[in-house]
Amino acid sequence: MGNQLQQQHRQQAPTPLRTPRGRSGAAVTVRCQQQQVNKGFSVLEWTSKLVPQGALVTGAKTGWRLAWETMVRELAPQDRSGSYTRPTNAFNERIGAPGFPVESGRYHLYVGNACPWCHRVLLALVFSGLDRHISVGRLADIPEQATRGGWVFQPGPDPVTGARDLWEVYDKLSPGYRGRCTAPLLIDKKSIRPVSNESSDIVRMLGWLALPGASGVELYPQQLRQQIDAMNDKVYRCINIAWRVPRNVYRCINNGVYRAGFATSQAGYDAAVGEMHGLLQELEQQLGQSRFLLGDRVTEADLRLFPTIVRFDAAYAGLFRCGRRRVADYPNLQGWMRDVWQIKVPGSSMQVPDTVDVDGCRRSYYSSLFPLNPSGIIPSGPTAADLQLDLPANRGSHEPGAVFYMKEAAAAAAAAAATGAQAAG
């Protein structure tokens, strides 16, 4: 028995790797220490003789994919092809309509930093100079604390309604509400009624409001409305402006990143990414010929594109798998992005950099969209500093008259154009 124990001890003893001599001449023994490795449940090891590895891996992948598809569809509704379909909005009133008078301080806007649809509304608020007339409530994207959806108030509660999250706001506005609780949301503070939760309508609404101290910026000038509407369609639905032929109603950039990120089929993803980068290349060429999308001044079309582009490299390229090419790979588009970032609106309490926290967007997307990033690991970049948004764009002056159409000048230009058209006719 003693010999057996000694033999077993010799077999279990660590094997010396080398015995170098130290300075004193004594032998130094270096032994290999076994590294502690977490191998999970070692399922592949202990089932290898019972279940073929191929069957085990296939079953695990099938089960995981079924759970993943279910979670993605809950988060982002799909059509039959596995492509993301954006839901319609519930509230479509407007300031100035009966029951919603134009009144300073009466209205409140809820926005979340990560959301590009909220961002376009904040940009419209800044450019219009109405930030002193319409209050803004900032939402935090923390799904674990929300009753429904992901938007909560921190620190809470909401000073306007007393709600803890956006779902409670919706429930106060429309008791028993069962739809999606989305931002942006514009409400009437006096009557606690919803005005609109459609971002494009809110953008137009803010452009038409006339209140003391407004900037006078015209983002939707009469003489360019047809071109602006066409460009918005091209960016959102990717309609070919030159030939007016709809290539595909689902093609877009604004919504295209979501179609790619939330796609549950390879075909749906491939279509979204291919169409998106095809249009980005078209815009790259166009911005090589003009400072902004429709000439030498900012319009609503630029305002609607910018939120997607400024988030693209930081979030969409990685998490939504849109990174076949980055904005950094489109030099004209990158220059345009920096140009818009650096615009200054005289008299406004907010400027473009105040409308978005790019690093906060990256953290929110990667930490909140669990089905797309179950590990919760947040990449270290690209950061806002990496994007170098303050690097000189060298695309022109940022004086208001060089950047914006102004309402009085735009009205005069529209009248002149109409007079010219009548004379030609």
Side-chain angles (χ1 to χ4, degrees), residues 369-392:
L369 298 178
F370 169 77
L372 303 185
N373 186 35
S375 72
I377 294 174
I378 301 171
S380 58
T383 64
D386 294 333
L387 299 182
Q388 298 182 305
L389 294 166
D390 293 318
L391 198 70

Side-chain angles (χ1 to χ4, degrees), residues 16-327:
L17 295 180
R18 56 190 176 90
T19 55
R21 296 286 175 178
R23 290 183 179 180
S24 64
V28 178
T29 301
V30 180
R31 300 181 184 276
C32 176
Q33 295 182 351
Q34 184 177 4
Q35 184 179 4
Q36 297 296 321
V37 178
N38 187 341
K39 300 172 67 175
F41 295 109
S42 300
V43 174
L44 292 176
E45 293 181 8
W46 62 262
T47 62
S48 59
K49 294 182 179 180
L50 301 175
V51 181
Q53 176 176 296
L56 186 64
V57 172
T58 299
K61 288 174 67 176
T62 301
W64 171 253
R65 181 172 179 83
L66 179 61
W68 172 77
E69 286 181 349
T70 301
M71 288 188 291
V72 170
R73 287 168 181 155
E74 287 287 333
L75 179 66
Q78 311 281 308
D79 64 16
R80 292 184 178 180
S81 71
S83 296
Y84 170 56
T85 302
R86 184 166 293 278
T88 57
N89 294 293
F91 307 130
N92 295 288
E93 291 291 347
R94 61 181 178 84
I95 299 175
F100 297 98
V102 177
E103 181 181 323
S104 178
R106 181 171 183 135
Y107 299 96
H108 187 71
L109 179 66
Y110 295 100
V111 295
N113 178 67
C115 175
W117 320 102
C118 293
H119 191 188
R120 64 165 65 166
V121 171
L122 270 183
L123 287 170
L125 191 68
V126 170
F127 289 164
S128 65
L130 295 173
D131 48 308
R132 291 185 178 87
H133 298 282
I134 296 176
S135 55
V136 176
R138 305 274 183 159
L139 298 159
D141 191 9
I142 311 176
E144 296 84 354
Q145 297 182 14
T147 308
R148 191 190 306 169
W151 299 117
V152 301
F153 296 101
Q154 279 203 338
D158 173 30
V160 176
T161 64
R164 295 170 299 173
D165 57 27
L166 191 60
W167 179 82
E168 286 194 6
V169 175
Y170 270 76
D171 193 53
K172 290 176 182 291
L173 298 172
S174 179
Y177 178 81
R178 296 181 60 85
R180 293 173 68 87
C181 308
T182 60
L185 172 65
L186 181 67
I187 72 165
D188 182 338
K189 289 191 291 188
K190 284 192 174 181
S191 62
I192 309 297
R193 288 186 299 160
V195 180
S196 178
N197 61 348
E198 169 51 58
S199 64
S200 58
D201 290 347
I202 299 173
V203 167
R204 291 273 171 93
M205 200 184 306
L206 296 176
W208 290 335
L209 286 181
L211 287 167
S215 67
V217 167
E218 178 59 86
L219 295 171
Y220 193 56
Q222 181 70 41
Q223 71 274 19
L224 290 176
R225 288 182 181 179
Q226 184 176 358
Q227 294 97 311
I228 291 171
D229 290 342
M231 179 60 76
N232 289 342
D233 277 340
K234 186 172 186 178
V235 169
Y236 186 78
R237 299 192 303 159
C238 288
I239 291 178
N240 190 308
I241 290 178
W243 295 282
R244 309 297 294 166
V245 177
R247 295 180 290 184
N248 188 307
V249 74
Y250 296 112
R251 295 181 182 183
C252 54
I253 293 175
N254 294 146
N255 205 38
V257 292
Y258 287 89
R259 288 177 52 232
F262 294 139
T264 55
S265 72
Q266 188 68 49
Y269 166 78
D270 289 342
V273 170
E275 293 155 2
M276 177 198 317
H277 283 284
L279 183 53
L280 285 172
Q281 184 58 46
E282 290 182 33
L283 296 180
E284 168 70 10
Q285 295 173 358
Q286 185 161 336
L287 290 168
Q289 301 171 5
S290 62
R291 181 177 180 182
F292 298 107
L293 291 179
L294 293 174
D296 59 356
R297 287 174 171 79
V298 171
T299 67
E300 182 189 285
D302 298 280
L303 177 148
R304 289 170 64 133
L305 178 63
F306 179 78
T308 301
I309 298 303
V310 80
R311 288 165 173 75
F312 196 93
D313 289 3
Y316 304 143
L319 183 64
F320 285 3
R321 305 179 296 273
C322 296
R324 189 170 79 185
R325 292 186 72 188
R326 305 161 302 157
V327 170

